[in-house]
Amino acid sequence: MNIIKELEWRGLVKQITNEERLLKAQNDGAAVYCGFDPTADSLHVGHLMMIVTLKRFDKAGFQAIGLIGGGTGMIGDPSFKADERKLQTDEQVKFHATAIQNQLLRIIPDVTFANNVDWLGNMSLIDFLRDVGKDFNISYLLNKDSIATRISTGLSVTEFSYTMLQAYDFYNLYINHNCKVQIGGSDQWGNITSGTDYISTRVGSANTEAAGFTIPLLTKSDGQKFGKTESGAVWLDSNKTSVYDFYQFWINQDDNDCVKMLKYLTFLTKEEIDELEAKHKEAPHLRTMQKTLASEITKFVHGDKELNKAIKLTDAFFTGNILNLDDDLLELAIKSIPTIQLEKTTSVIDAIVNVNAASSKREAREFINAKAISFNDVAVQDENMLLSEIETIKNNKIIVKKGKKKYYLLEIK
């Protein structure tokens, strides 16, 4: 498989420093790396583009390396960000780095991992200035878009140095791990070319085999940033975003985005994606593309067992049979429903309004009269009943259902 042609039909080629070097690296079975700075204790769906792409390079014969930025995470990448990144403590960075590495090991276990704190952490300021800084010209750095866009609004020397640290990462992996290619999102082009140029300086332009490659950033068809919802980021950690909510995120993608996402984020072939698109055009109400997208990505991130839970839970929410689920799935259902806490002396009608199942008491009465509201599968009939009179489940919880598909969760204090 020619990795460039594979990525081209998927629309995943943004920029390449040198196609010949990239293909030579593939033929030689050289290493490729992608960096992940530990800014939180979990990655989110915005990182999936790079995780999946790194796995594609692995499947194409490269030795894939996931580089955890335990060193660069202490600094902060200024690339196209409006403000300086808030510095984390050493303990925070270490905790986040461990969490992210464990997460990636679970998702892409065949990938090798390294942490740049292992070499950056042992470098003194004098060493850095002599061995790295000496090979970078100020005018060269100021021409980097990632730096130039921040000059007018303010850029510290700390973040100004980031691109040089990333360049040294590439050089270190190039020399010690036969890593000939760095990949990243299009916002990393400046940092990546800093690395290829630095390697060329150190080993000689006639001898360098280093290449850089970027993919486009994933945006929705309406131009909105991908991966953000009303409740915030969609995380890859099931404790932060439940498997059901993760699955639902993909199920709810717009028709106009599905083909692109299937190409970008799954390992389905061109023929398989074309067939899905044709089926969708014949019967769009079946949402075949969305269901396939959700299944493929949930399986990739969480595995078959968790995918099956998400599908069973989706069916249960759709049919209204939540309380018939086994304990494991019921726990997952509870984690996936918006929750509020109320006192046990709260009346049923006030609870309906407080949980946002109705916009007013008048509307709540209409729902009650229509027998459209149930608490733990028992239809509400008396609006003056107190929550203390209702039989709870799972440590004082009440599942409120409006109609057949709207769910809310009350936790009784």
Side-chain angles (χ1 to χ4, degrees):
M1 177 180 69
N2 180 309
I3 186 64
I4 295 177
K5 289 183 178 179
E6 167 69 11
L7 295 172
E8 278 179 339
W9 81 257
R10 291 185 180 274
L12 283 170
V13 176
K14 182 68 175 181
Q15 293 162 302
I16 306 175
T17 60
N18 190 297
E19 292 189 15
E20 289 182 7
R21 290 178 191 165
L22 193 151
L23 292 176
K24 183 178 185 305
Q26 180 183 8
N27 292 333
D28 293 344
V32 57
Y33 96 92
C34 178
F36 302 90
D37 271 353
T39 56
D41 60 359
S42 171
L43 300 174
H44 53 74
V45 295
H47 294 103
L48 272 177
M49 285 279 282
M50 290 318 312
I51 297 172
V52 173
T53 303
L54 189 62
K55 182 62 181 176
R56 290 194 205 285
F57 274 80
D58 176 62
K59 290 166 72 75
F62 286 85
Q63 300 297 312
I65 299 173
L67 181 65
I68 308 300
T72 46
M74 296 290 292
I75 302 301
D77 183 2
S79 297
F80 305 102
K81 295 178 176 66
D83 303 300
E84 288 263 335
R85 181 184 292 177
K86 184 178 178 182
L87 292 179
Q88 301 179 83
T89 65
D90 186 44
E91 291 73 20
Q92 286 175 317
V93 173
K94 287 178 180 177
F95 178 79
H96 292 164
T98 300
I100 287 173
Q101 181 165 331
N102 289 338
Q103 189 173 68
L104 288 169
L105 272 169
R106 179 177 54 78
I107 298 171
I108 42 177
D110 296 334
V111 169
T112 300
F113 289 93
N115 190 324
N116 61 19
V117 75
D118 292 341
W119 51 86
L120 296 179
N122 296 323
M123 182 181 287
S124 71
L125 176 61
I126 297 299
D127 290 338
F128 172 74
L129 292 175
R130 287 179 61 87
D131 297 339
V132 183
K134 192 68 174 174
D135 289 315
F136 283 88
N137 187 283
I138 290 294
S139 63
Y140 170 87
L141 294 173
L142 291 175
N143 281 325
K144 295 284 182 184
D145 287 342
S146 56
I147 291 174
T149 54
R150 280 280 299 280
I151 293 296
S152 60
T153 57
L155 179 67
S156 70
V157 172
T158 300
E159 290 198 357
F160 179 74
S161 303
Y162 186 95
T163 191
M164 291 183 281
L165 294 175
Q166 187 166 326
Y168 186 75
D169 285 344
F170 194 0
Y171 172 74
N172 186 286
L173 293 172
Y174 181 91
I175 294 299
N176 297 309
H177 297 276
N178 192 35
C179 182
K180 302 298 175 63
V181 180
Q182 181 183 175
I183 62 174
S186 58
D187 60 340
Q188 289 298 303
W189 179 248
N191 291 333
I192 290 173
T193 53
S194 288
T196 55
D197 291 344
Y198 178 63
I199 291 169
S200 178
T201 299
R202 293 294 297 264
V203 305
S205 58
N207 299 318
T208 183
E209 297 180 86
F213 174 90
T214 65
I215 64 174
L217 298 179
L218 180 55
T219 56
K220 301 175 80 171
S221 57
D222 59 7
Q224 291 184 17
K225 189 172 183 179
F226 179 78
K228 296 292 183 180
T229 66
E230 290 182 6
S231 57
V234 179
W235 300 95
L236 305 189
D237 183 341
S238 60
N239 293 313
K240 296 166 81 71
T241 297
S242 73
V243 176
Y244 169 78
D245 287 331
F246 185 84
Y247 180 82
Q248 288 300 311
F249 173 77
W250 302 104
I251 282 282
N252 291 319
Q253 293 301 316
D254 189 272
D255 289 357
N256 296 325
D257 294 317
C258 281
V259 172
K260 179 171 70 174
M261 290 184 185
L262 285 164
K263 290 178 178 179
Y264 281 7
L265 298 170
T266 77
F267 296 94
L268 298 178
T269 65
K270 186 178 186 304
E271 292 73 24
E272 289 170 328
I273 294 172
D274 288 344
E275 184 179 349
L276 280 170
E277 188 177 12
K279 286 182 178 179
H280 183 81
K281 287 178 179 177
E282 291 175 4
H285 63 285
L286 296 179
R287 298 180 71 77
T288 305
M289 287 197 299
Q290 283 89 342
K291 289 177 182 178
T292 304
L293 181 70
S295 294
E296 290 294 319
I297 298 178
T298 304
K299 180 170 63 176
F300 177 70
V301 174
H302 294 292
D304 284 314
K305 184 178 178 181
E306 296 302 306
L307 168 61
N308 289 333
K309 286 183 183 179
I311 292 173
K312 286 181 181 178
L313 193 51
T314 298
D315 291 340
F317 274 124
F318 184 79
T319 58
N321 294 322
I322 295 299
L323 290 179
N324 294 331
L325 294 168
D326 61 39
D327 279 352
D328 192 26
L329 281 173
L330 185 56
E331 288 284 0
L332 179 57
I334 287 171
K335 282 174 60 178
S336 305
I337 304 173
T339 306
I340 68 165
Q341 289 186 332
L342 290 176
E343 299 288 343
K344 62 183 179 180
T345 54
T346 306
S347 68
V348 164
I349 195 164
D350 285 334
I352 293 171
V353 174
N354 274 290
V355 83
N356 291 322
S359 59
S360 65
K361 288 186 178 182
R362 180 189 60 77
E363 187 177 48
R365 289 189 184 96
E366 292 176 357
F367 289 146
I368 291 171
N369 292 333
K371 296 183 179 180
I373 298 281
S374 66
F375 280 29
N376 287 340
D377 270 358
V378 177
V380 175
Q381 298 181 27
D382 182 1
E383 67 180 65
N384 297 312
M385 182 184 288
L386 302 181
L387 294 182
S388 59
E389 302 175 63
I390 296 175
E391 187 175 349
T392 60
I393 61 169
K394 295 291 181 181
N395 298 321
N396 295 322
K397 292 182 176 63
I398 297 172
I399 294 178
V400 179
K401 182 169 69 171
K402 180 175 72 174
K404 292 184 177 181
K405 300 178 185 177
K406 290 284 188 179
Y407 294 88
Y408 314 87
L409 188 68
L410 294 173
E411 188 170 354
I412 310 305
K413 291 190 288 186

